[in-house]
Amino acid sequence: MFQISASYTDLYQLTMAQVYFKTKPESEAVFDYYFRKNPFDGGYAIFAGLGNILEILEYLRFTKEDIEYLKIHGFEADFLEYLQKFRFRGTVRSSKEGDIVFPNRPILQVEGNIMEVQIVETVLLNILNFQTLIATKASRIRHSAGNKVLLDMGLRRAHATGGYFATRAAAIGGFDSTSNVKAAEDFNIPGSGTMAHSFIQSYEDELQAFRDFARIRNKNCVLLVDTYNTLKSGVPNAITVAKEMEKSGEQLYGVRLDSGDLAYLAKETRKLLDHAGLDFVKIVASNQLDEYVIKSLEEQHAPIDIFGVGTNLVTGKPDAALGGVYKLSEFNGEPRIKLSENIIKISLPSKKQVFRLIDENGMFYGADAIGLVSEENILKMFHPFDVTKNLELEKFQKEPLLQKVMEKGKALIPKQSVSEIAEFSRKRLALLPEEFKRFQNPHTYKIGLSEQLKTLRDQLVLDRAQ
Amino acid sequence: MFQISASYTDLYQLTMAQVYFKTKPESEAVFDYYFRKNPFDGGYAIFAGLGNILEILEYLRFTKEDIEYLKIHGFEADFLEYLQKFRFRGTVRSSKEGDIVFPNRPILQVEGNIMEVQIVETVLLNILNFQTLIATKASRIRHSAGNKVLLDMGLRRAHATGGYFATRAAAIGGFDSTSNVKAAEDFNIPGSGTMAHSFIQSYEDELQAFRDFARIRNKNCVLLVDTYNTLKSGVPNAITVAKEMEKSGEQLYGVRLDSGDLAYLAKETRKLLDHAGLDFVKIVASNQLDEYVIKSLEEQHAPIDIFGVGTNLVTGKPDAALGGVYKLSEFNGEPRIKLSENIIKISLPSKKQVFRLIDENGMFYGADAIGLVSEENILKMFHPFDVTKNLELEKFQKEPLLQKVMEKGKALIPKQSVSEIAEFSRKRLALLPEEFKRFQNPHTYKIGLSEQLKTLRDQLVLDRAQ
């Protein structure tokens, strides 16, 4: 749907690129993408957006209009000529899309000409931060909803066209379907929808509105029952229509509750439906749902079959953003770090590999080990700051998480469907022990450094501190 | 940048449209756009997004691929043929973009064929809700920042391509410039930017990085001074470069602080700069700023000239969404309301006009009066629910807020630049008394109904309640 031009970036990327162009245009750099804190005070995140990034990077260009526009910022002619021919020809090593990821370890690494890797920073952060946020939110809602059906219906409250990518990420995080037609079409996500209050209001009579809708709707018929009075009018009228449908060999698919006390109304609605012999009619609930409300509804055994989630899903409330960063870790083959007053914010130098430790039961052990990419194996890992803590790694399987997915600007992996990514994510999440998934004070997924990486990092810190 | 297709909608809009197509395709409807609560617990909102909506509505089409895709949802051939020819040919009456708006009164009204006005609901809410949220956030930040310069630098944390529209809305709400090149280009917003930590890290030496940047940068040179140690390294190196620039007849534009205690560091930096005879060098501050942090910095008299705001601006934290709705108020000439258990959620029927009351000093009085569009003048207004309250309106100027901006699908107003809209918004905000602008418990901007409207609404409520 959206053609993203290379000018979808921050102006300072171009200002810096011009300086590189004039002083060291052949320089090579390595940047790490990672975040510092799990979203929603949770115990993990779901990495999403990689597929879009690979497509965007392959086709990224400045348009003629972009180049013309940049003249007013005083860029020089030779640099503008460079931009006109700009292509991204770098290498990307990445975690798999849909994988479970954690703070303060590289999730993706970009390597290539300094100007190229700098210019793509913004779009990369823009797409990965947002989709990772939403996929994680979706995953939390899925955790509360168990096997119930989850429907994304947030487009009207989404951040303009960001809603398109929200739907993609929601599907990766575990949503079954979406109301967003364009995203459903482009990403091959099941589409779904019910009816609006205005439809019923357009009739003098709720029953007639239901009858017309049931007769002419395209697919599964869901009737919205709370326009006037849920239990006195909406549900009884829906039952009348359901019985009429039965006579012509059809089945009413469901009724939707969109206001009031959902637990109470769902229970009363279920009773009325069952009493009418309509135990197959599903109950859809919506209205400001999130992982906490759904958890509460489940704990109350509200007989809801389908949850429709909007605002809280697509805006990633309350966080609204994932603070993913893109930090220089190598420049012309030399390791680089970013210091900080806050020790946890000191970055890790050089090209790295992240190993996920798998325990004897095949489950995620609860820690990742990070080493230099040149290290074939890591036998022992060390706490990043606490010198008293280390762990022998012999007994673990070690799964390398970062794989080359793009080389010289060409994607190396086939384009994955959203459902494939979602399926992979589900399988990976099943390997994560429950204590990392709970909402209250989840367990911290730890990190350890190889001796070589720790020594290098410590040496660079000392060098800079002098 | 973005071509929005008509399938950028919720699936249920199409399902309902098909029912209308089969049962009453010539029906006409009126929908009101409004929200129920000011964002950020504030006292007002800035209406934004209208310009985009008019452009989108003029060109909205289903593509061939959209029609092909919709077949899998079981829509019928004659309806798909209708969609293929679908154009929006309705009428839009609207508040001016950039105007100050308040809850529970129509901000925009769409009128036309029921299928058309239904299909456009989603994109309309999607664009208006988001931009109104962000313009309001920007306006609040502007309120804290006084005449200081405000720079939007949020693209990397924005909701994917929603960031494009966030920048537009931020400019309407009072931001001076943006780092977002594409949005700056398309919306003619001043572009700006500084430098990143990675640029400095790419050098062995901070001073050399500053020198190269100062020599080759395109426009105003701002040096980032917190990569290693702000007061011991960054600022002294910036001063060295500033003095070198002076020798060649140039001036350093500014230094940027991006971490630490900004109030303290700004004061110390100002001292160092002034002591070196560099009182013209500006101080730029960034790092998780919002209206509250900026207010605090201003109260501490932090000598900051330019605030760079990112995440909190472009994501509209903490609200993250404006809950604007689109409610049916008339169907085939008959008034319609939506009932609710919550009295405040009962909608207002029929086509309406909103009058802003202007007091004898030319300021907004603190209340809007709503009447039927057929009423030429309203002499008295009534509290929506409290029968003991009413107000004579003789002494007020009454400014009608809703004007026809689109007729038969053609925009009636010339395309406005973002700077024109921002200028209008600034002037309107100046008419709003201060007590509506404060962050803590702002005054409520009241609402009154004409006798005719109130009588009609009450009658419809009674009819439905029976």
Side-chain angles (χ1 to χ4, degrees):
Chain A
M1 183 182 179
F2 301 122
Q3 193 70 38
I4 288 179
S5 116
S7 78
Y8 190 71
T9 191
D10 289 305
L11 186 60
Y12 80 169
Q13 312 287 14
L14 303 180
T15 305
M16 292 187 287
Q18 178 168 266
V19 180
Y20 290 128
F21 179 81
K22 297 282 189 176
T23 59
K24 36 189 173 182
E26 302 300 328
S27 299
E28 296 280 315
V30 179
F31 279 83
D32 294 348
Y33 170 68
Y34 61 97
F35 56 85
R36 294 185 178 123
K37 197 181 146 299
N38 283 318
F40 313 114
D41 294 323
Y44 68 95
I46 305 281
F47 175 52
L50 178 66
N52 302 113
I53 282 298
L54 294 179
E55 268 187 75
I56 289 168
L57 292 183
E58 275 195 322
Y59 292 99
L60 207 61
R61 306 278 187 277
F62 288 93
T63 66
K64 275 185 194 167
E65 295 73 31
D66 294 339
I67 302 293
E68 207 49 46
Y69 166 73
L70 288 172
K71 287 182 183 167
I72 74 166
H73 284 287
F75 290 104
E76 296 186 26
D78 52 354
F79 178 65
L80 290 174
E81 206 171 299
Y82 161 79
L83 290 184
Q84 209 153 2
K85 294 179 194 148
F86 167 87
R87 299 288 181 275
F88 179 76
R89 288 157 308 182
T91 294
V92 179
R93 294 167 64 234
S94 177
S95 306
K96 285 188 183 147
E97 184 161 13
D99 205 356
I100 317 305
V101 294
F102 305 98
N104 295 310
R105 61 213 83 181
I107 296 167
L108 175 145
Q109 179 212 280
V110 182
E111 175 182 352
N113 175 274
I114 179 65
M115 298 180 280
E116 296 173 26
V117 298
Q118 195 70 70
I119 287 169
V120 305
E121 174 183 5
T122 307
V123 69
L124 199 142
L125 290 174
N126 175 263
I127 297 288
L128 297 181
N129 278 339
F130 179 56
Q131 288 199 52
T132 299
L133 179 80
I134 302 305
T136 307
K137 186 71 174 180
S139 168
R140 291 164 62 83
I141 296 171
R142 167 54 66 205
H143 189 260
S144 288
N147 292 320
K148 304 287 182 79
V149 175
L150 288 174
L151 157 63
D152 152 40
M153 37 188 264
L155 184 55
R156 62 190 55 199
R157 302 282 163 80
H159 288 195
T161 52
Y164 179 69
F165 296 97
T167 293
R168 181 182 186 276
I172 289 171
F175 269 61
D176 296 292
S177 66
T178 183
S179 72
N180 183 337
V181 179
K182 190 69 198 168
E185 175 183 343
D186 288 3
F187 298 126
N188 197 21
I189 297 167
S192 62
T194 63
M195 78 198 311
H197 296 113
S198 64
F199 179 81
I200 293 165
Q201 292 169 265
S202 80
Y203 286 78
E204 281 302 323
D205 175 1
E206 190 181 51
L207 182 59
Q208 188 57 44
F210 285 179
R211 280 187 174 130
D212 275 8
F213 194 82
R215 186 163 51 86
I216 298 162
R217 97 287 171 191
N218 45 337
K219 278 200 169 176
N220 296 339
C221 179
V222 176
L223 302 173
L224 178 61
V225 292
D226 71 337
T227 305
Y228 301 118
N229 186 308
T230 301
L231 299 176
K232 289 187 187 152
S233 163
V235 175
N237 282 332
I239 288 172
T240 301
V241 171
K243 301 309 278 184
E244 290 168 3
M245 288 174 82
E246 275 192 321
K247 282 180 197 150
S248 52
E250 292 190 289
Q251 283 197 337
L252 178 65
Y253 187 76
V255 295
R256 175 158 78 109
L257 308 170
D258 188 43
S259 58
D261 188 304
L262 295 176
Y264 167 76
L265 290 173
K267 284 175 190 176
E268 295 302 311
T269 298
R270 187 74 271 159
K271 276 186 221 164
L272 292 172
L273 290 169
D274 291 355
H275 191 255
L278 297 167
D279 60 353
F280 54 86
V281 174
K282 296 185 193 314
I283 296 179
V284 184
S286 54
N287 194 21
Q288 298 300 322
L289 300 181
D290 65 9
E291 64 268 50
Y292 299 100
V293 178
I294 292 175
K295 186 163 183 277
S296 163
L297 288 168
E298 288 293 294
E299 284 165 0
Q300 294 170 77
H301 306 290
I304 295 167
D305 305 287
I306 300 171
F307 294 105
V309 189
T311 311
N312 292 300
L313 170 67
V314 299
T315 65
K317 274 189 90 165
D319 284 18
L322 176 71
V325 295
Y326 186 79
K327 292 291 172 193
L328 183 70
S329 58
E330 201 175 291
F331 191 77
N332 283 334
E334 296 291 324
R336 288 288 190 273
I337 56 161
K338 164 82 177 72
L339 293 181
S340 173
E341 308 258 314
N342 185 347
I343 195 170
I344 201 81
K345 280 180 133 187
I346 296 175
S347 64
L348 295 171
S350 279
K351 279 188 250 183
K352 296 168 288 290
Q353 180 56 279
V354 181
F355 295 94
R356 180 134 309 160
L357 305 181
I358 311 290
D359 71 14
E360 63 273 22
N361 302 315
M363 297 287 281
F364 292 172
Y365 167 69
D368 291 330
I370 312 181
L372 297 172
V373 79
S374 52
E375 296 181 87
E376 270 190 23
N377 200 357
I378 305 176
L379 298 174
K380 193 173 179 179
M381 70 179 198
F382 297 82
H383 189 282
F385 308 107
D386 184 342
V387 293
T388 67
K389 288 185 179 160
N390 58 65
L391 182 69
E392 302 285 349
L393 301 184
E394 282 150 62
K395 64 169 180 171
F396 299 105
Q397 258 193 71
K398 293 186 282 284
E399 186 194 357
L401 298 184
L402 301 180
Q403 303 296 344
K404 206 178 275 185
V405 294
M406 173 170 268
E407 189 157 42
K408 296 181 181 163
K410 293 273 166 248
L412 297 178
I413 56 170
K415 193 179 161 178
Q416 282 190 290
S417 71
V418 168
S419 63
E420 282 172 325
I421 300 166
E423 175 61 18
F424 172 70
S425 195
R426 193 160 42 237
K427 283 184 183 159
R428 296 292 279 181
L429 199 58
L431 301 180
L432 184 70
E434 279 303 312
E435 55 266 35
F436 297 96
K437 298 178 193 168
R438 67 172 180 244
F439 299 157
Q440 295 296 328
N441 300 320
H443 213 47
T444 299
Y445 208 91
K446 296 192 177 55
I447 201 171
L449 309 185
S450 73
E451 188 164 9
Q452 281 191 46
L453 175 59
K454 185 166 188 297
T455 306
L456 177 65
R457 197 263 326 252
D458 291 347
Q459 191 53 52
L460 289 166
V461 171
L462 285 174
D463 289 353
R464 273 295 165 198
Q466 275 161 9
Chain B
M1 180 181 181
F2 301 121
Q3 193 69 40
I4 287 179
S5 116
S7 77
Y8 190 71
T9 190
D10 290 304
L11 185 60
Y12 81 169
Q13 311 286 14
L14 303 179
T15 305
M16 292 187 286
Q18 177 167 268
V19 181
Y20 289 127
F21 180 80
K22 297 283 189 175
T23 59
K24 35 189 173 181
E26 302 301 327
S27 298
E28 297 280 313
V30 180
F31 278 84
D32 295 348
Y33 170 69
Y34 61 99
F35 56 85
R36 294 183 178 126
K37 198 182 144 299
N38 283 316
F40 313 114
D41 294 322
Y44 68 95
I46 306 280
F47 175 53
L50 178 65
N52 302 112
I53 282 298
L54 294 179
E55 269 188 74
I56 289 168
L57 292 184
E58 275 195 321
Y59 293 99
L60 206 62
R61 305 278 187 278
F62 288 92
T63 66
K64 272 184 197 169
E65 295 74 29
D66 293 340
I67 301 293
E68 206 50 46
Y69 166 72
L70 288 172
K71 287 181 184 168
I72 74 166
H73 284 286
F75 290 104
E76 295 185 27
D78 53 353
F79 178 65
L80 290 173
E81 206 172 300
Y82 162 80
L83 290 184
Q84 209 155 3
K85 295 180 194 147
F86 167 86
R87 301 287 182 275
F88 180 76
R89 288 157 307 181
T91 294
V92 179
R93 295 167 64 235
S94 178
S95 306
K96 285 187 183 150
E97 184 162 13
D99 205 356
I100 317 304
V101 294
F102 304 97
N104 295 311
R105 61 212 83 180
I107 296 168
L108 175 146
Q109 180 212 280
V110 182
E111 175 182 351
N113 175 273
I114 179 66
M115 298 179 279
E116 296 174 26
V117 298
Q118 195 72 71
I119 287 169
V120 305
E121 173 182 6
T122 307
V123 69
L124 200 142
L125 291 173
N126 175 264
I127 297 289
L128 297 180
N129 278 339
F130 179 57
Q131 288 199 53
T132 298
L133 179 80
I134 302 304
T136 307
K137 186 73 175 179
S139 168
R140 291 165 61 85
I141 295 171
R142 166 55 67 205
H143 189 258
S144 288
N147 292 321
K148 304 287 181 77
V149 175
L150 287 174
L151 158 61
D152 152 39
M153 35 188 264
L155 184 55
R156 63 190 55 199
R157 303 281 164 81
H159 288 194
T161 52
Y164 178 71
F165 296 97
T167 293
R168 181 181 185 277
I172 289 171
F175 269 60
D176 296 293
S177 66
T178 183
S179 72
N180 181 337
V181 179
K182 190 70 199 169
E185 175 184 344
D186 288 3
F187 299 126
N188 196 22
I189 297 166
S192 61
T194 63
M195 79 198 310
H197 295 114
S198 65
F199 180 80
I200 292 164
Q201 292 168 265
S202 80
Y203 287 78
E204 282 301 324
D205 175 1
E206 189 181 51
L207 183 59
Q208 189 57 45
F210 284 180
R211 280 187 173 129
D212 275 7
F213 193 82
R215 186 163 52 84
I216 299 163
R217 97 286 170 190
N218 46 335
K219 279 201 170 174
N220 295 339
C221 179
V222 176
L223 301 174
L224 179 61
V225 293
D226 71 336
T227 305
Y228 301 119
N229 185 308
T230 301
L231 299 176
K232 289 187 187 152
S233 163
V235 175
N237 282 332
I239 288 173
T240 302
V241 171
K243 302 310 277 184
E244 290 168 3
M245 288 174 81
E246 275 191 321
K247 282 182 197 150
S248 53
E250 292 191 288
Q251 283 196 338
L252 178 64
Y253 186 76
V255 296
R256 175 157 78 109
L257 309 170
D258 188 42
S259 57
D261 188 305
L262 295 175
Y264 168 76
L265 290 172
K267 285 174 189 174
E268 294 302 311
T269 298
R270 187 74 270 160
K271 277 186 218 161
L272 292 172
L273 290 169
D274 290 354
H275 191 256
L278 296 168
D279 61 354
F280 55 85
V281 174
K282 297 186 194 310
I283 297 178
V284 184
S286 54
N287 195 19
Q288 297 301 321
L289 300 181
D290 65 10
E291 65 268 50
Y292 299 101
V293 178
I294 292 175
K295 186 163 184 275
S296 163
L297 289 167
E298 288 293 293
E299 283 165 0
Q300 294 170 78
H301 305 291
I304 294 166
D305 304 287
I306 299 171
F307 295 105
V309 189
T311 312
N312 292 300
L313 169 68
V314 300
T315 65
K317 274 189 88 166
D319 283 19
L322 176 72
V325 295
Y326 185 78
K327 291 291 171 193
L328 184 71
S329 58
E330 202 176 288
F331 191 78
N332 283 335
E334 296 292 323
R336 287 287 190 273
I337 56 162
K338 165 81 178 75
L339 292 182
S340 174
E341 308 260 312
N342 184 346
I343 197 169
I344 200 81
K345 281 180 132 185
I346 295 175
S347 64
L348 294 171
S350 279
K351 280 188 252 185
K352 296 167 289 290
Q353 180 56 280
V354 181
F355 294 94
R356 179 134 309 161
L357 305 181
I358 311 289
D359 71 15
E360 62 273 22
N361 302 314
M363 297 287 282
F364 292 171
Y365 167 69
D368 291 329
I370 312 180
L372 297 173
V373 80
S374 53
E375 296 182 88
E376 271 189 23
N377 201 355
I378 305 177
L379 297 174
K380 193 171 178 179
M381 71 180 198
F382 297 82
H383 189 282
F385 308 107
D386 183 342
V387 293
T388 67
K389 287 183 181 163
N390 58 64
L391 182 70
E392 302 286 346
L393 302 183
E394 281 151 63
K395 65 171 180 169
F396 299 105
Q397 257 193 71
K398 292 186 282 282
E399 186 194 356
L401 298 184
L402 301 181
Q403 303 295 344
K404 206 178 276 187
V405 294
M406 174 169 266
E407 190 157 40
K408 294 182 182 163
K410 294 273 164 246
L412 297 178
I413 55 171
K415 194 181 160 177
Q416 283 190 291
S417 70
V418 168
S419 64
E420 283 172 323
I421 300 166
E423 175 62 18
F424 172 71
S425 195
R426 193 159 44 239
K427 283 185 184 158
R428 296 292 279 181
L429 199 58
L431 301 180
L432 183 70
E434 279 303 314
E435 56 265 35
F436 298 95
K437 297 178 192 168
R438 68 173 180 244
F439 299 157
Q440 295 296 329
N441 299 320
H443 213 49
T444 299
Y445 209 92
K446 296 192 177 56
I447 201 171
L449 308 185
S450 73
E451 189 165 9
Q452 280 190 44
L453 176 58
K454 186 166 187 296
T455 306
L456 177 65
R457 196 263 326 251
D458 291 347
Q459 190 54 52
L460 289 166
V461 172
L462 286 174
D463 288 352
R464 274 296 166 198
Q466 278 159 6

